[in-house]
Amino acid sequence: MLPVDLPTRSAFMTLARERNDACVSIYLETTPITQDVDASRIALGNMVRDAIGQLEAAGLDKRRVWPIREQFDDLIADSDFWAHQAVSLCVLATPDHITTFRLANRLAPTVQVSDRFHLKPLLRALTHLHAGYVLTLSENGARLIEFFADMAPSELRVPDMPRDAASSVGRASINDRSHFSRIVGSEGKKVRLRQYARAVDAALRPLLAAETAPLILGANPPLGPIFRSVASYPHLLGEGFEDEVDRMTPAELAAMARPAMDAAHAATLADRNALFTRRESQGRATTDVATAARAAAYGAIEMLLVDMEATIPGTVDAETGTITLAEEQSADSYGVIDQIAITALATGAEVLSVRAADLPRPAPLAASLRYRF
C-alpha cells in the first residue's frame, strides 16, 4: 500500500492553532520509487535554505533558527524515512518540533514561513483524494486493487480473503439443490452469497480500518447489491460497475473505477454550489474576501469553497476578521484565504479546497452563511 499519512480533523485543527515565532511549511513532490527519491532529498535541502534565509531576513534570533535547521538536516539524512514515500511530502516545523505527512496528491512545491503553518495544500489533500481502492467480487474470488493518480495500480494481499464463494461457506458449489439441506435453490444461493460477502467484508476490515480513501465495487451480478447490504467500510462509493471482473487487469480495473471517483467528486461540488445559490437568494452568501473573513471570525460561515491556487498576502485579526493586506507573503504575513478557511473550520463549517473552475463565481472563495451577515 502507498504510505500515506493524513491528519484527522482534530489533528488538523491542532496544527491550525499553532502559533510560534517561526513556523516553516514545506510541500514538495516525492516518489515511492526508492532509487529515485534522492532528487526529492536535494529539493528539500534547497527549500530549507530558502526558509532559513527568510527567517534570518526577518531577524529571528539565531538560537531559534539553528534548531529548525538541525531538525531538517536530521530528516534529510534519514535514509529509512526516504525509503518509504508517496507522491508528495508535507513538512511542518518549528524550533521545537517537526511533523511530516506523506500524501497521495501531487502538490506544487511550496515554501512558507510565518507565525503559523500554511495548511491549504494539506486541506486540498484531505478534500479530494486522487487514490483509492477497487474491490472486485465474483463467485470465483475477490481482489483488492489500490490505484493512484500518477502510478500503476497494484493488487494487494488481503489476509484471510476467501478463495471463492463456495469454499467460504464450506461447500463444493453454491448451486447445490439438495433437499437434505434447509438452504436450497435460488434462495439458498443468495444466503450463501451473503455469507461469502460477509467473509470478504470481514477480511477487509483490518486492512482498511484506518483508511479514508474511497472504495469502488466492481462485481459480477448479483453480488454487487448483496455485498452492499453487508459492507461495513464507510467510504464505499454508491456508484460502482458490473462486468466480468475476473478477467480484468489492475490497470483495466483502475480505469473502470476513475469515472466513479470523478462522479462522486462532481456530485459533491454540484451539491455545494447548489447550496451557495440557495443561500445567495436568501441573502446568506458571499464571494467577498473581506466579508468572508468577518463572517468566519463570528462563526457565521456554514460552508466554504476556496480556490486552492489563490494567495492573498496579509493578516486577519482573530477577533474582528479585519484584513490587513501585505505586498508579498513573508515571515511577517501569511495567506489570508488560508486563515479564513482555518477559522471557518474551527467554528464547524464545511471547507473544501477546489480548483477555480469549480467555484460558483469568479472569486478566490465562496461562502454560504448560517444567517444574514
Side-chain angles (χ1 to χ4, degrees):
M1 297 176 69
L2 193 68
V4 172
D5 316 301
L6 288 176
T8 62
R9 182 186 178 96
S10 61
F12 183 90
M13 292 312 304
T14 297
L15 292 169
R17 289 190 290 269
E18 175 75 39
R19 297 293 181 270
N20 207 298
D21 54 356
C23 287
V24 176
S25 308
I26 293 179
Y27 297 84
L28 69 152
E29 291 186 9
T30 55
T31 174
I33 303 173
T34 303
Q35 58 267 34
D36 295 339
V37 83
D38 281 348
S40 298
R41 297 171 79 167
I42 293 170
L44 179 58
N46 294 333
M47 298 170 91
V48 170
R49 281 192 287 275
D50 182 1
I52 296 300
Q54 290 188 46
L55 292 171
E56 291 175 344
L60 184 67
D61 191 316
K62 291 182 178 179
R63 290 171 295 183
R64 298 290 285 167
V65 173
W66 75 256
I68 295 177
R69 188 195 304 270
E70 184 178 51
Q71 290 182 90
F72 274 110
D73 287 345
D74 289 346
L75 183 67
I76 294 170
D78 188 346
S79 296
D80 288 340
F81 172 79
W82 290 100
H84 305 282
Q85 290 300 310
V87 178
S88 295
L89 178 65
C90 163
V91 188
L92 307 173
T94 70
D96 310 304
H97 189 259
I98 189 167
T99 302
T100 63
F101 295 102
R102 297 167 297 182
L103 308 172
N105 301 58
R106 190 166 299 283
L107 301 176
T110 305
V111 181
Q112 297 284 351
V113 175
S114 184
D115 68 339
R116 65 202 69 195
F117 291 128
H118 175 57
L119 297 176
K120 190 166 64 176
L122 189 56
L123 179 62
R124 173 63 180 176
L126 294 170
T127 298
H128 185 39
L129 299 173
H130 294 278
Y133 300 97
V134 181
L135 172 66
T136 70
L137 195 59
S138 75
E139 292 182 23
N140 298 321
R143 292 184 291 162
L144 184 66
I145 310 298
E146 186 176 19
F147 64 91
F148 319 95
D150 304 302
M151 295 171 51
S154 61
E155 183 171 346
L156 301 178
R157 180 183 175 277
V158 182
D160 300 322
M161 180 69 87
R163 188 174 71 251
D164 54 41
S167 63
S168 72
V169 295
R171 310 288 296 186
S173 169
I174 61 170
N175 295 307
D176 183 5
R177 294 180 175 274
S178 168
H179 286 269
F180 289 104
S181 170
R182 181 180 60 86
I183 303 175
V184 295
S186 61
E187 288 304 311
K189 182 175 180 178
K190 286 183 180 179
V191 170
R192 292 193 177 105
L193 288 177
R194 191 169 291 111
Q195 292 172 344
Y196 170 48
R198 287 195 191 96
V200 171
D201 180 69
L204 291 174
R205 284 186 189 182
L207 192 68
L208 301 180
E211 289 293 319
T212 58
L215 175 66
I216 296 92
L217 177 63
N220 290 358
L223 271 165
I226 288 175
F227 180 80
R228 290 183 184 280
S229 72
V230 301
S232 60
Y233 186 62
H235 307 291
L236 174 64
L237 295 189
E239 181 178 331
F241 58 93
E242 291 187 345
D243 212 315
E244 294 298 324
V245 293
D246 292 336
R247 301 178 182 179
M248 289 187 172
T249 65
E252 290 171 335
L253 290 166
M256 293 289 288
R258 291 193 186 282
M261 289 264 290
D262 294 341
H265 184 61
T268 297
L269 291 176
D271 180 73
R272 302 313 183 266
N273 275 274
L275 174 63
F276 177 88
T277 301
R278 291 197 303 273
R279 294 292 183 257
E280 192 174 41
S281 68
Q282 300 164 356
R284 293 169 51 191
T286 185
T287 57
D288 180 71
V289 174
T291 301
R294 294 195 302 273
Y298 289 98
I301 293 183
E302 171 188 38
M303 184 275 301
L304 179 67
L305 302 176
V306 297
D307 180 353
M308 63 181 288
E309 302 291 346
T311 300
I312 301 177
T315 59
V316 181
D317 185 277
E319 297 295 326
T320 66
T322 301
I323 294 174
T324 302
L325 298 178
E327 291 186 5
E328 61 182 15
Q329 201 150 296
S330 68
D332 298 319
S333 67
Y334 48 83
V336 166
I337 302 296
D338 300 40
Q339 191 56 33
I340 294 172
I342 289 166
T343 303
L345 270 174
T347 58
E350 179 186 16
V351 179
L352 300 179
S353 177
V354 302
R355 301 189 186 282
D358 294 327
L359 286 157
R361 304 282 182 273
L365 54 75
S368 66
L369 307 178
R370 295 186 171 107
Y371 50 84
R372 287 178 179 267
F373 188 83

